[in-house]
Amino acid sequence: MLPDTSLQNHLDISHIRSSCASCSLRELCLPVGLNEHEIQVLGDVVSHKRKIQRGGYLHRAGAKFQSLFAIRSGFLKTCVLEQDGRQQVTGFHMTGELLGLDAISTDTHTCDAVALEDSEVCEIPFAKLEEISRIIPSLMRHFHKMMSREIVRDHGVMLLLGSMKAEERLATFLLNLSRRFLVRGYSESDFNLRMTREEIGSYLGLKLETVSRAFSKLQDENIITVDNKHIRINDIARLRMKMGNSSCIT
Amino acid sequence: MLPDTSLQNHLDISHIRSSCASCSLRELCLPVGLNEHEIQVLGDVVSHKRKIQRGGYLHRAGAKFQSLFAIRSGFLKTCVLEQDGRQQVTGFHMTGELLGLDAISTDTHTCDAVALEDSEVCEIPFAKLEEISRIIPSLMRHFHKMMSREIVRDHGVMLLLGSMKAEERLATFLLNLSRRFLVRGYSESDFNLRMTREEIGSYLGLKLETVSRAFSKLQDENIITVDNKHIRINDIARLRMKMGNSSCIT
DNA sequence: TGTCGTGATTGATCTGGATCAAAACTGACA
DNA sequence: TGTCAGTTTTGATCCAGATCAATCACGACA
């Protein structure tokens, strides 16, 4: 199913007046290793904030690409929608991560990006980013590393989808989430999932019932405690064992 | 969404006329849209050629990253190997494609690259590439598009691994190869595979026996003719049907 | 407060692909 | 020319996960 034409409105941010010059740039992924002046330059580029309500679209597949989006807060999924209505989730994304890298290749977004909770993003006009990255080599270098990291991440998911069993996949998924929460200052062992079992299943190449059973199995073994969307990891070491000895999904 | 979507553009460098330093630059993926002088500059960077014998390694996971590699001729696979011996082929690569993008993120190669036939690559020192891409914006732009294309390609593989049945996966794989051969001036319907059934299986998330059976099934239906590694596509339309839902084909 | 719709769990059954096994084929090389 | 190791095909069986189905839990809202 192709997106309708009205979706362009979703990218129209002209009505938004940013109140913050740099959109809390320091919280973003980009300015790593930049000096004050460089952050100032970058801040002039990343001037537009945008809020997306839970369930709202940041962009849809087929939309013209103009900007990358840095997530300031919230939680989003990216997915492709197939003709029969099924969706394949290609990733879950949280604060500090960069969305839209896939769209650079054809100047068209190749997936939908949907907020799984109220979210806020900073818009980064890509042409401007390329422009100033010529002036600030460390920014260019960092941007290249971020694109490369996305490739490495995808290879990890390919390994997971191509060779892991259901329980291994779920363990890997939970540990990945756990680590990302930890890095952001949240508990690594106690968190709420923002996505449904079906979305997890889509991401992991499993049916929702299989995901549910895998949760129950891990709970029966006292490795985790599941209460609907709330997860507590009781024994992270044993959860790592479940994953097998792989370091994939970064 | 299928891997290698806009390869046509990617390789259309017929408009370029240049005698380049040593490496037949016009065969490469990089110089798209550059003028004479720019190609000269790029040629100075891409000066080092390297041959790899069948079975030899271009690089191994863990090796220090210094250069990208543009394939001049031959055929390679990239794969990630886990401690337990679990292996996943992450891609097959042919003339004009760029290897090593995954290594930028950590300055370390994250996968092995192995020649499946005698191959020749041009080494592109990454630091120099970044340097001159500051001077040649169209080169930078093109490089970004290539990285993005790799991400799109990987998402296509994730979709395949996450939601397709064995026969659909093989059909998708054959059609992808077919198109890439066509773009390079070879027959789209008559070609030799360079990889084993096991390697195909690893790439497609299947066991080698399943791959073999899927080949036999397609042959029984007169869609293809299989003679060991030699493949002839007799009915490309029906092969496309086998691929199922076509929303992932561009 | 009750109703409705969505999401989650659990049980029963089915099946596509994995696994195990054997035979045939290929190509490299002595 | 024969040998041998690696590759491919095919058959028989098994099982992890899909599918089908029932029930439960919970939040939104009239």
Side-chain angles (χ1 to χ4, degrees):
Chain A
M1 181 176 308
L2 288 174
D4 64 2
T5 52
S6 66
L7 64 82
Q8 290 296 350
N9 296 330
H10 288 266
L11 287 176
D12 181 8
I13 47 83
S14 55
H15 56 288
I16 297 176
R17 270 317 305 152
S18 174
S19 56
C20 82
S22 67
C23 203
S24 296
L25 257 192
R26 282 180 184 76
E27 296 170 12
L28 293 185
C29 37
L30 281 172
V32 174
L34 305 189
N35 64 33
E36 286 299 318
H37 172 65
E38 291 166 340
I39 288 182
Q40 188 64 45
V41 172
L42 182 57
D44 293 341
V45 170
V46 187
S47 57
H48 284 305
K49 254 194 303 193
R50 199 169 133 198
K51 290 179 193 288
I52 309 104
Q53 284 195 323
R54 177 172 145 80
Y57 284 78
L58 174 59
H59 60 71
R60 292 182 196 246
K64 175 123 178 64
F65 168 68
Q66 312 219 302
S67 299
L68 299 174
F69 300 100
I71 304 173
R72 266 198 81 199
S73 65
F75 200 95
L76 297 93
K77 69 172 177 180
T78 45
C79 56
V80 295
L81 189 62
E82 305 194 28
Q83 287 166 340
D84 54 14
R86 284 180 312 161
Q87 68 177 20
Q88 168 81 20
V89 173
T90 56
F92 297 109
H93 311 276
M94 45 210 285
T95 306
E97 294 176 350
L98 204 53
L99 289 182
L101 296 176
D102 57 285
I104 295 169
S105 73
T106 58
D107 285 323
T108 303
H109 286 282
T110 64
C111 61
D112 295 339
V114 182
L116 296 181
E117 63 180 29
D118 292 354
S119 301
E120 202 171 1
V121 301
C122 287
E123 187 174 352
I124 306 171
F126 183 61
K128 287 190 182 171
L129 178 64
E130 280 193 321
E131 206 177 294
I132 66 168
S133 74
R134 292 177 59 201
I135 308 165
I136 310 177
S138 61
L139 176 63
M140 178 168 76
R141 162 57 57 108
H142 188 66
F143 174 62
H144 291 162
K145 282 182 186 287
M146 294 203 71
M147 289 210 90
S148 177
R149 191 172 303 127
E150 175 69 14
I151 292 170
V152 174
R153 188 188 76 83
D154 290 344
H155 287 177
V157 177
M158 285 164 62
L159 180 64
L160 175 141
L161 292 171
S163 68
M164 287 189 182
K165 297 196 175 306
E167 204 176 286
E168 296 171 329
R169 295 184 196 194
L170 187 64
T172 304
F173 172 72
L174 289 174
L175 287 166
N176 175 37
L177 277 185
S178 165
R179 210 174 49 74
R180 288 156 77 192
F181 282 128
L182 177 65
V183 165
R184 285 161 180 79
Y186 301 108
S187 170
E188 65 177 327
S189 59
D190 199 298
F191 48 84
N192 284 294
L193 302 174
R194 282 107 223 260
M195 72 295 283
T196 67
R197 301 289 191 262
E198 186 168 27
E199 287 163 336
I200 295 171
S202 174
Y203 182 61
L204 298 178
L206 303 168
K207 292 294 159 188
L208 70 92
E209 296 95 328
T210 304
V211 173
S212 181
R213 275 182 244 271
F215 270 124
S216 299
K217 176 107 185 300
L218 289 174
Q219 180 166 240
D220 289 347
E221 300 179 62
N222 285 316
I223 295 174
I224 63 174
T225 303
V226 184
D227 178 16
N228 215 343
K229 289 218 164 48
H230 179 256
I231 303 292
R232 197 171 64 240
I233 299 176
N234 302 315
D235 191 336
I236 202 163
R238 275 167 69 213
L239 191 56
R240 289 207 182 94
M241 307 280 287
K242 285 285 176 188
M243 190 173 64
N245 44 13
S246 64
S247 53
C248 74
I249 303 221
T250 52
Chain B
M1 195 56 55
L2 188 71
D4 214 281
T5 46
S6 49
L7 195 49
Q8 207 108 28
N9 299 330
H10 166 194
L11 282 174
D12 183 12
I13 54 171
S14 50
H15 56 291
I16 294 175
R17 280 193 264 301
S18 165
S19 65
C20 80
S22 66
C23 204
S24 291
L25 253 195
R26 81 184 58 188
E27 294 170 14
L28 293 185
C29 39
L30 281 172
V32 173
L34 305 189
N35 65 30
E36 289 295 321
H37 172 65
E38 291 167 341
I39 287 182
Q40 191 64 45
V41 172
L42 182 57
D44 292 341
V45 169
V46 187
S47 57
H48 193 252
K49 250 192 304 192
R50 202 168 131 194
K51 289 179 193 290
I52 309 103
Q53 284 195 323
R54 177 164 146 60
Y57 283 78
L58 173 57
H59 60 71
R60 291 178 195 254
K64 176 119 179 66
F65 168 67
Q66 312 223 298
S67 301
L68 299 174
F69 299 99
I71 304 174
R72 263 197 84 199
S73 66
F75 200 94
L76 298 93
K77 69 170 177 180
T78 45
C79 52
V80 291
L81 186 61
E82 293 298 337
Q83 296 93 316
D84 55 7
R86 195 150 42 182
Q87 186 190 59
Q88 172 83 21
V89 173
T90 55
F92 297 108
H93 311 277
M94 44 210 285
T95 305
E97 294 176 352
L98 204 53
L99 290 182
L101 296 176
D102 57 284
I104 295 169
S105 73
T106 57
D107 285 323
T108 302
H109 286 283
T110 64
C111 61
D112 295 339
V114 182
L116 296 181
E117 63 181 29
D118 292 354
S119 302
E120 203 170 0
V121 301
C122 287
E123 191 172 347
I124 306 171
F126 183 60
K128 286 189 182 172
L129 178 65
E130 280 193 320
E131 205 176 294
I132 65 167
S133 74
R134 291 177 60 201
I135 309 166
I136 311 177
S138 61
L139 176 64
M140 178 168 75
R141 162 56 59 109
H142 187 65
F143 174 61
H144 291 162
K145 282 182 185 288
M146 294 201 71
M147 290 210 89
S148 177
R149 191 171 300 123
E150 175 69 14
I151 291 170
V152 174
R153 189 187 76 83
D154 290 344
H155 287 177
V157 176
M158 285 164 60
L159 184 62
L160 175 142
L161 292 171
S163 68
M164 287 189 183
K165 296 196 175 303
E167 205 176 282
E168 296 172 330
R169 295 184 197 194
L170 188 64
T172 304
F173 172 71
L174 288 175
L175 287 166
N176 176 34
L177 276 186
S178 167
R179 175 180 307 201
R180 288 156 77 191
F181 283 128
L182 177 65
V183 164
R184 286 164 179 76
Y186 301 109
S187 170
E188 65 177 327
S189 59
D190 198 299
F191 49 83
N192 284 293
L193 302 173
R194 282 91 240 256
M195 71 295 282
T196 67
R197 302 289 190 263
E198 186 168 27
E199 287 162 337
I200 295 172
S202 173
Y203 183 60
L204 298 179
L206 302 169
K207 291 295 158 188
L208 69 93
E209 296 95 327
T210 305
V211 173
S212 180
R213 275 183 244 270
F215 270 124
S216 299
K217 176 107 183 300
L218 290 174
Q219 179 165 241
D220 290 347
E221 300 179 62
N222 284 317
I223 295 174
I224 64 174
T225 303
V226 184
D227 178 16
N228 213 343
K229 290 216 161 52
H230 179 257
I231 303 292
R232 196 171 65 239
I233 299 176
N234 302 314
D235 192 336
I236 203 164
R238 276 167 68 214
L239 190 57
R240 289 207 183 94
M241 308 278 287
K242 284 287 176 187
M243 203 170 51
N245 187 324
S246 59
S247 71
C248 59
I249 307 154
T250 316

